[in-house]
Amino acid sequence: MPSPELPQSAIAEQLAEKIAALDVARLPQAVRRKCEELLIDVVGLAVTARNENYVQSALAACDDDGPCTAIGHTRTLSAAAAALVNGTAIHGEDFDDTFEGGPVHAGAVIVPAVLAACERHKRDGKAALHGIAVGVETMCRLSLVAPTLTHKAGFHPTAVFGAMGAAAGVGAALQLSPRQLVDALGNAGSMAGGIIEYLAEGAWTKRLHAGWAAQAGIRAALLGRAGFLGPRTVFEGAHGFFHAFAHTTAGDYAALTGGFGAQWVTQTLAFKPYPCGTMTHPYIDCARRLGRCLGADDVVEMVCDVGEGTVHRLWEPLAAKQRPANGYAGKFSTPYCIAAGFVRGNVALSDFSDAAVREPAVLALAAKVRYRIDPKNPYPKNFTGHIRATLRDGSLVEERQPHMRGGAQEPLTRADIEEKFLLNAKHGGWSVARAGSALKLIAGMFEGPLDLSPLRG
């Protein structure tokens, strides 16, 4: 019996019952389609990053070989190690999906965790679909319980919510009972982590967060399956998950459990057109349009109206954001991204090399970019952009972007996502034929047996 101070039915118990009751055969078509698109996107991202130094470093750090696939690599690994390497690669270029309400990057955590677990434990494509749908939904809904507070507390939401989502997703794929799922979630709460100090100098740890959360979710689910007890009040408890990572226990828990399995936020996932911080995207769109009709020398100043919740990650300290320390730091600098979009006409993977972020013409314009907080900005419910440019002749020119392209209000098409996959595969060194063959494999992966071996090497 629970203690008098504790709830008869904890949040984790309510969630576990809803997860266990889900029937993958009744998954809405829009959710299934989004999971298919997510799989296409993340595999392409794993391939595009496979030769990057941070992926090679993560791979070299793993000393636990096994039967599971590290996408784009010949070597096979344990389930946990495969999830770590794949998650790190997928999130590495910051080109992966975003849930706008969070924001969190679900695909880079949930897909590697579920695929590795299914590969290791010989589950089929239907089980993988079940796990991915449950994991993504859980992770995204968790980010709505106490919006913005996790970032303010100094943690990366993808890292902390990802461990929980991965535990739920792997648990669903392996058909854990409600009691086992509660233990899995309870154990994942003590495995979650990920500070955002990478912002200081463009260190690699943000890349690691997705992979770490993915492998943590596998460990937590297997512990739960084996009967290792976790706290059932892991979410709402006085010393629980939200107390630790958001400094509150008074979240909107109905955002997590209300309508779970009947109403899906997964179908609103956004796919990125630019490989950088999501909240910069609408500003890049504005800058590209301005750059078509203005020269950089015409501009005296650019002032951007922004949401207060984005400032500490993408705008401050302003002088450092105007001159990023390296290519990776450029991904989290709105001034640099605006200047790159204006001067170069687009923002692509090549714009985040160490050399690219030092180009004098781009830095000169970035130095003219500043912000002001708009108290009416809808972030994090919606990502918008606004630039007001003052020109040398004293005139003002403004551009606005009402939403993120690629998101729920202007989604990328399946053809767009497949084109992105092919470009990413090419960037990672795969031939056109190899990429095309992989795309066909991915499109049917949720049907029949799960075979990831063609994605190796």
Side-chain angles (χ1 to χ4, degrees):
M1 291 291 293
S3 140
E5 299 82 24
L6 297 178
Q8 290 288 328
S9 176
I11 301 299
E13 291 174 316
Q14 297 169 33
L15 178 62
E17 290 288 347
K18 290 176 181 286
I19 291 173
L22 279 174
D23 180 1
V24 69
R26 300 179 65 181
L27 203 64
Q29 192 59 36
V31 175
R32 181 190 177 97
R33 184 167 56 250
K34 185 65 72 169
C35 290
E36 291 172 352
E37 293 170 349
L38 188 61
L39 189 60
I40 292 168
D41 196 50
V42 301
V43 171
L45 293 168
V47 175
T48 210
R50 70 191 184 112
N51 296 318
E52 298 296 333
N53 51 7
Y54 59 89
V55 175
Q56 293 297 321
S57 179
L59 187 63
C62 296
D63 61 359
D64 47 342
D65 290 10
C68 297
T69 299
I71 297 169
H73 304 279
T74 302
R75 181 183 169 198
T76 56
L77 301 167
S78 71
L84 173 69
V85 172
N86 288 332
T88 300
I90 291 163
H91 190 49
E93 294 304 308
D94 234 79
F95 208 0
D96 49 328
D97 60 280
T98 296
F99 176 58
E100 294 173 87
V104 289
H105 306 282
V109 179
I110 305 304
V111 176
V114 170
L115 290 184
C118 287
E119 194 172 24
R120 170 65 180 83
H121 297 280
K122 297 181 171 55
R123 297 305 200 269
D124 61 10
K126 184 182 293 185
L129 172 61
H130 189 185
I132 290 170
V134 166
V136 170
E137 187 72 9
T138 300
M139 183 174 172
C140 292
R141 281 171 169 262
L142 278 167
S143 73
L144 299 176
V145 172
T148 76
L149 295 184
T150 303
H151 261 141
K152 287 182 178 178
F155 295 102
H156 184 195
T158 294
V160 296
F161 299 131
M164 289 293 200
V170 172
L174 299 185
Q175 295 183 302
L176 269 60
S177 70
R179 175 67 253 178
Q180 291 170 326
L181 282 167
V182 170
D183 287 332
L185 292 167
N187 292 324
S190 286
M191 299 179 180
I195 60 174
I196 59 176
E197 183 60 14
Y198 63 84
L199 290 165
E201 295 176 319
W204 292 355
T205 47
K206 182 177 188 287
R207 290 165 157 152
L208 179 70
H209 289 168
W212 188 261
Q215 62 87 32
I218 293 175
R219 299 285 193 199
L222 293 178
L223 284 165
R225 188 174 72 165
F228 196 98
L229 297 180
R232 66 187 187 89
T233 51
V234 61
F235 292 122
E236 74 273 37
H239 305 287
F241 182 83
F242 282 97
H243 169 75
F245 294 114
H247 297 171
T248 185
T249 59
D252 178 12
Y253 296 106
L256 173 60
T257 59
F260 192 102
Q263 300 161 353
W264 293 81
V265 301
T266 293
Q267 63 198 58
T268 68
L269 281 186
F271 293 105
K272 286 186 177 183
Y274 305 121
C276 54
T278 313
M279 286 73 74
T280 67
H281 287 212
Y283 295 93
I284 294 171
D285 286 341
C286 292
R288 291 179 66 193
R289 291 196 292 269
L290 288 171
R292 294 184 193 124
C293 58
L294 298 172
D297 290 340
D298 298 328
V299 177
V300 174
E301 180 182 59
M302 287 183 174
V303 180
C304 302
D305 287 345
V306 305
E308 186 274 335
T310 69
V311 169
H312 72 290
R313 302 190 310 284
L314 300 173
W315 286 98
E316 288 292 350
L318 184 58
K321 295 298 185 182
Q322 291 169 334
R323 297 185 67 87
N326 54 35
Y328 190 56
K331 291 177 179 286
F332 314 106
S333 161
T334 310
Y336 170 75
C337 290
I338 285 172
F342 186 105
V343 172
R344 297 174 183 146
N346 199 4
V347 173
L349 288 167
S350 60
D351 292 293
F352 297 101
S353 67
D354 290 350
V357 300
R358 297 188 182 110
E359 183 183 340
V362 175
L363 290 179
L365 184 59
K368 302 175 184 179
V369 179
R370 64 181 183 86
Y371 72 92
R372 67 180 188 183
I373 295 172
D374 176 8
K376 296 181 180 179
N377 188 285
Y379 174 84
K381 292 182 178 179
N382 186 30
F383 300 165
T384 63
H386 172 256
I387 301 177
R388 180 185 294 103
T390 302
L391 307 184
R392 291 196 180 279
D393 64 5
S395 61
L396 296 175
V397 180
E398 293 188 69
E399 277 289 345
R400 296 180 183 273
Q401 178 69 19
H403 52 254
M404 176 189 169
R405 287 190 307 110
Q409 298 181 67
E410 192 179 343
L412 299 186
T413 65
R414 178 67 168 257
D416 292 332
I417 294 165
E418 290 183 354
E419 181 182 11
K420 179 182 172 183
F421 170 88
L422 294 172
L423 289 171
N424 280 328
K426 180 180 179 181
H427 183 267
W430 277 10
S431 68
V432 173
R434 175 83 193 270
S437 176
L439 192 56
K440 290 179 182 177
L441 172 76
I442 296 164
M445 195 168 284
F446 293 142
E447 305 292 338
L450 186 72
D451 182 11
L452 303 180
S453 61
L455 301 180
R456 301 172 187 168

